[in-house]
Amino acid sequence: MIDTNINTSAADRMANRPRVVISGGGTGGHIFPALSIADALRRRLDAEILFVGADNRMEMTRVPDAGYKIIGLPVAGFDRKRLWRNFSVLFKLFKSLRMSRKIIRDFKPDIAIGVGGYASGPTLKAAQRAGVPTLLQEQNSYAGVTNKLLGEKAEKICVAYDGMERFFPAGKIVKTGNPIRKALLSSSKTVKEARESFGLNPERPTLLVVGGSLGALTLNESMEAGIRELAENGIQVIWQTGKNFGDRGPLAAKGLKGIVVTPFITDMASAYKAADLVVGRAGAGSISELQALGKPVILVPSPNVAEDHQTHNARALSDHGAAVLITDAEAREKLVATALPLISDKEKLDAMSREIGKMGITDSDSRIADEVCQILKNRKS
């Protein structure tokens, strides 16, 4: 059991360090922006930061590994298919609300920041009821239920897409983008060096396929069926299968030259640099990285996400010629058939690169920190 006794010390109060609660998580798409915001606030304000996450989710290890304290709530998501299971979900929610009130009362934050995910609902609701100013970070083009419920009482809502006044009060919205991994922007490798680091020919067109750390079955099965056709047409492939696809990827690529199959890519900066074209899901974090790097992409939105937000994310790009959208249901038939001519069409790739690059924001963490600082300043005055 994690200690929830987080009363602030006299030394911290005397030092007048601002105290910040950051809540959310459940997926890397929520955790990474949260950590980026925390780092920016620690650099800018020397803030004392407490994370509140969902117990038994990945934030409970990722956040401490990054050097921050975290408290886990027993909160869980609603089961929309098996409604009878939601009795336990409601019990966990009420318990989480009680815990959140105690956390806010003991820690006495100057501001609470919600990044989406199960835990942000009870934590930010408790903060708002206690009169603590709140800031929301909405990563997707279609706002999540939790943020929509919290938006009316939030001081500011930081978004990554235009048109978010559909979900939030227009006067509270500020477009900051989503924080991305700084290492992706700081890589000094050339395309030649990046391809050579994967053992590939620097002169041949290269496709990057990324389905996340667990893998995306649709993407993997599409590649499994089409990898030989890609290789026979001179296309090199860096294929991240995720850990759940087992040996099927290596078996499909057996004997083929210019095909790199791996469950996980540690050097994503080089993988992006090596690629002429990327294939992936349409999570907000991945899209923000592609925008910042100006990478042409085929997006295959996951159908297994709340409010189908990945499809909305993908359409925000494809409607402007910044990406190609293929539905999950069509991918096994169309993905490789679409990628083959596209990766050889330099004019089309250049046009896509220009359009997606126009959407890129590379200093989102700093922009969000600016908004936090302004809220704190307004409260003091």
Side-chain angles (χ1 to χ4, degrees), residues 214-262:
L214 298 179
L217 185 61
T218 299
L219 298 188
N220 284 336
E221 291 187 342
S222 300
M223 294 304 298
E224 184 180 42
I227 193 71
R228 187 165 297 277
E229 183 180 4
L230 288 165
E232 289 173 351
N233 280 274
I235 308 302
Q236 298 181 136
V237 180
I238 303 170
W239 175 13
Q240 178 182 298
T241 62
K243 68 179 184 180
N244 288 345
F245 204 55
D247 295 330
R248 290 173 62 178
L251 285 173
K254 188 174 182 180
L256 301 178
K257 291 184 178 180
I259 308 296
V260 177
V261 184
T262 177

Side-chain angles (χ1 to χ4, degrees), residues 29 139-142 161 178 210-212 216 219 272 278-291 297-306 308-318 323-328 356:
Q139 292 119 23
N140 295 294
S141 64
Y142 193 91
Y161 293 88
N178 291 321
V210 186
L219 298 188
Y272 279 134
V278 179
V279 171
R281 290 302 201 185
S286 298
I287 286 179
S288 294
E289 291 177 352
L290 293 162
Q291 289 171 332
V297 61
I298 298 174
L299 295 171
V300 184
S302 170
N304 305 311
V305 293
D308 195 25
H309 66 251
Q310 286 203 8
T311 296
H312 294 283
N313 291 349
R315 283 181 178 153
L317 274 65
S318 64
V324 173
L325 168 59
I326 296 177
T327 68
D328 189 84
I356 196 170

Side-chain angles (χ1 to χ4, degrees), residues 25 38 75 81 125 136 138 168 206 222 225 227 265 279 319 353 374:
V75 66
K81 294 181 179 179
K125 178 59 70 175
L136 305 180
E138 175 55 63
F168 303 116
T206 302
S222 300
I227 193 71
I265 298 171
V279 171
D319 287 351
S353 180
Q374 188 60 51

Side-chain angles (χ1 to χ4, degrees), residues 80-234:
R80 292 175 172 84
K81 294 181 179 179
R82 293 163 291 191
L83 297 179
W84 66 90
R85 294 194 174 188
N86 290 321
F87 290 109
S88 64
V89 173
L90 287 170
F91 174 77
K92 291 177 180 178
L93 176 60
F94 289 129
K95 185 177 180 181
S96 296
L97 284 166
R98 289 197 305 270
M99 289 178 64
S100 296
R101 287 195 291 270
K102 184 179 188 304
I103 290 167
I104 297 300
R105 184 171 63 249
D106 290 349
F107 187 63
K108 298 178 177 63
D110 296 294
I111 189 170
I113 299 170
V115 297
Y118 301 143
S120 64
T123 307
L124 272 286
K125 178 59 70 175
Q128 290 178 346
R129 285 177 175 172
V132 176
T134 56
L135 176 145
L136 305 180
Q137 201 242 337
E138 175 55 63
Q139 292 119 23
N140 295 294
S141 64
Y142 193 91
V145 172
T146 299
N147 277 350
K148 283 190 282 188
L149 292 173
L150 294 167
E152 191 65 36
K153 293 186 177 180
E155 299 282 327
K156 285 291 181 180
I157 301 145
C158 297
V159 303
Y161 293 88
D162 295 324
M164 297 302 286
E165 61 274 4
R166 294 175 294 162
F167 310 108
F168 303 116
K172 297 183 177 185
I173 295 171
V174 57
K175 188 175 180 181
T176 60
N178 291 321
I180 66 169
R181 292 173 281 187
K182 296 299 184 186
L184 299 179
L185 299 173
S186 61
S187 174
S188 60
K189 283 185 180 178
T190 64
V191 174
K192 178 177 182 293
E193 291 168 340
R195 289 179 181 169
E196 288 176 342
S197 72
F198 286 95
L200 298 175
N201 185 329
E203 304 301 324
R204 286 172 57 189
T206 302
L207 177 70
L208 171 64
V209 182
V210 186
S213 59
L214 298 179
L217 185 61
T218 299
L219 298 188
N220 284 336
E221 291 187 342
S222 300
M223 294 304 298
E224 184 180 42
I227 193 71
R228 187 165 297 277
E229 183 180 4
L230 288 165
E232 289 173 351
N233 280 274

